[in-house]
C-alpha cells in the first residue's frame, strides 16, 4: 500500500518518517515541529512505529502549510480487518479550535476509502470528549453504536465507501 501526501486547504498530511518517529519516541523534538508537538499519545504511537519499521502504518503528520510546522498527527491503524480500518488523531493544543483536525480527518477518510479492500473507516471516541465527537460528525461520520474498551464505553463513528459516494 502506498501512502501519498494528502493536501488540504491548510494542511499537508505526510507519512511520518521513521527517523522522526524515532526522535519523538526518544522524547526529543525536531525543529520543524510546533512547540507543543508531539504530545504523549504521539510519542506512544511513534514508539509503535519504530518497533515495527517494516510494517506499513498509514500514520501521518499534520503539517500547517502556512508555517511548515508539524502541528498534529492522524493515522490509520493499518492493515484493514474485514474491509474496515480504524483511524485516530491528535492536534497540538496551540492549534485546536481551528478546524484542522476535521480537515485532516476528511482527507484521510476519503483516501482510506479508495484503498483496495477498504469498505468502511471508523473511529472510537469517549462521548465526554465533545470536541472529538464534533470532529467526527463534521468530517461526515455517523454514530454506529458503542464499544467496550480498556478506556470504558466508547462511541463508534463510521463512514462507508457507499455513503461517501452518495454525497
Amino acid at each position: 500500500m502506498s501512502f501519498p501526501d494528502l493536501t488540504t486547504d491548510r494542511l499537508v498530511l505526510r507519512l511520518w518518517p521513521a527517523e522522526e518517529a524515532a526522535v519523538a519516541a526518544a522524547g526529543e523534538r525536531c525543529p520543524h515541529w510546533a512547540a507543543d508537538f508531539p504530545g504523549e499519545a504521539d510519542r506512544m504511537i511513534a514508539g509503535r512505529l519504530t518497533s515495527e519499521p517494516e510494517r506499513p502504518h498509514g500514520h501521518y503528520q499534520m503539517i500547517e502549510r502556512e508555517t511548515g510546522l508539524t502541528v498534529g498527527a492522524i493515522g490509520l491503524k493499518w492493515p484493514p480487518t474485514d474491509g474496515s480500518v480504524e483511524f485516530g488523531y491528535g492536534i497540538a493544543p496551540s492549534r485546536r479550535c481551528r478546524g484542522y483536525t476535521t480537515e485532516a480527518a476528511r482527507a484521510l477518510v476519503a483516501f482510506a476509502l479508495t484503498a483496495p479492500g477498504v469498505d468502511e473507516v471508523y473511529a472510537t471516541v469517549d462521548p465526554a470528549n465533545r470536541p472529538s465527537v464534533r470532529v467526527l460528525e463534521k468530517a461526515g461520520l455517523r454514530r454506529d453504536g458503542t464499544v467496550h474498551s480498556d478506556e470504558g464505553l466508547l462511541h463508534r463513528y463510521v463512514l462507508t465507501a457507499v455513503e461517501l459516494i452518495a454525497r
Side-chain angles (χ1 to χ4, degrees):
M1 174 72 197
S2 174
F3 295 97
D5 285 359
L6 306 174
T7 302
T8 69
D9 288 343
R10 300 174 297 157
L11 300 169
V12 173
L13 306 182
R14 182 165 294 137
L15 200 63
W16 199 336
E19 58 277 2
E20 290 188 26
V23 169
E28 299 172 9
R29 299 188 65 263
C30 289
H32 59 277
W33 291 350
D36 51 352
F37 177 84
E40 189 57 37
D42 300 307
R43 291 185 192 288
M44 180 190 69
I45 290 166
R48 288 184 191 161
L49 299 179
T50 59
S51 69
E52 300 179 61
E54 70 289 339
R55 181 177 168 203
H57 58 78
H59 203 75
Y60 287 82
Q61 293 178 332
M62 289 185 220
I63 302 167
E64 192 174 49
R65 290 176 63 186
E66 182 179 327
T67 65
L69 295 174
T70 298
V71 298
I74 186 166
L76 300 165
K77 295 183 180 177
W78 206 255
T81 303
D82 298 325
S84 187
V85 66
E86 184 176 7
F87 76 104
Y89 47 82
I91 188 90
S94 64
R95 298 315 198 273
R96 290 182 182 157
C97 300
R98 297 183 186 192
Y100 283 171
T101 310
T102 299
E103 194 172 312
R106 285 180 181 144
L108 187 69
V109 166
F111 166 72
L113 288 171
T114 68
V118 176
D119 301 313
E120 102 177 346
V121 178
Y122 73 95
T124 57
V125 62
D126 180 339
N129 185 345
R130 292 299 308 152
S132 193
V133 168
R134 288 293 299 141
V135 163
L136 296 172
E137 292 171 345
K138 287 164 50 176
L141 285 83
R142 64 178 164 76
R143 186 166 167 219
D144 183 45
T146 56
V147 176
H148 294 279
S149 79
D150 295 342
E151 302 169 39
L153 189 63
L154 303 177
H155 287 181
R156 184 177 190 270
Y157 284 79
V158 65
L159 184 65
T160 66
V162 171
E163 291 168 330
L164 184 64
I165 292 168
R167 289 186 184 175

